[in-house]
Amino acid sequence: MTSDEAIALINRFYSSFQQRDHAGMIACYHPQVEFTDPVFQTLKGKQACAMWHMLAERATDIDITFDHVQAQGSSGQAHWEAQYTFSGSGRRVHNVIDAAFEFADGLIVKHRDRFDLWRWTRMAIGTSGVLLGWSPLVQNRVRQRAQSGLKKFIEQHPEYQG
């Protein structure tokens, strides 16, 4: 895969997200993809695809921007930002994310998103996020809710089971 092809793949992934086109996003992923971030932690294969489907489908007012897309050899990077209303609280969130990618067979095989979870909890949760969002207790509760929501989503979508 050339650097230009990898850059085009990353651009296609985020352009699909801007349009809330989960199928377009998933088409950029290798069947053996591994996704990692501070909330969902590590998701593999169909779980990672289900997460993007869920987020794209539920994000009624999301605004995605991305830039600094780069690629060299079998890896790439991008910076992206998401602004949306967090459904759990009705509060507005502006998440700032740096992504790293690895490619195989012309697709994304590893995707790691990095962002400040404490910053996110301050926006999404409010006062308790400001006071305790740094704590493992609050961060683990955020993770459990996200993973529980994903599990329910997968139960309703047989294409992600098995």
Side-chain angles (χ1 to χ4, degrees):
M1 175 173 230
T2 68
S3 293
D4 289 342
E5 290 168 334
I7 288 169
L9 181 64
I10 295 169
N11 284 329
R12 187 165 58 250
F13 180 83
Y14 288 115
S15 294
S16 295
F17 197 10
Q18 286 175 323
Q19 298 166 29
R20 296 178 43 220
D21 173 13
H22 66 274
M25 296 173 75
I26 292 168
C28 297
Y29 268 3
H30 190 281
Q32 304 303 315
V33 70
E34 180 178 296
F35 172 83
T36 307
D37 84 350
V39 173
F40 289 97
Q41 297 184 304
T42 300
L43 302 172
K44 295 182 179 184
K46 290 181 181 180
Q47 284 185 321
C49 296
M51 179 209 55
W52 289 117
H53 184 166
M54 178 180 75
L55 294 177
E57 189 174 277
R58 294 182 178 172
T60 57
D61 69 345
I62 196 164
D63 180 36
I64 301 292
T65 58
F66 66 97
D67 56 18
H68 302 296
V69 176
Q70 302 173 27
Q72 56 285 327
S74 62
S75 65
Q77 305 85 36
H79 173 85
W80 67 284
E81 300 186 19
Q83 295 185 54
Y84 58 96
T85 302
F86 177 58
S87 62
S89 65
R91 297 175 57 88
R92 196 78 180 145
V93 171
H94 177 190
N95 204 9
V96 178
I97 303 120
D98 287 310
F101 302 93
E102 291 180 28
F103 309 104
D105 303 324
L107 297 168
I108 298 166
V109 72
K110 286 194 178 183
H111 178 177
R112 175 181 295 241
D113 277 350
R114 293 187 181 104
F115 61 88
D116 184 337
L117 186 53
W118 184 19
R119 181 179 182 276
W120 183 91
T121 62
R122 292 191 305 258
M123 288 181 282
I125 301 171
T127 304
S128 63
V130 171
L131 298 174
L132 297 170
W134 56 269
S135 74
L137 179 69
V138 171
Q139 292 187 359
N140 286 335
R141 190 175 317 134
V142 167
R143 290 180 181 115
Q144 288 168 350
R145 286 183 181 170
Q147 291 164 357
S148 174
L150 179 59
K151 181 180 177 190
K152 288 177 186 172
F153 185 85
I154 290 171
E155 288 170 359
Q156 297 168 352
H157 291 83
E159 67 268 31
Y160 298 117
Q161 297 171 13

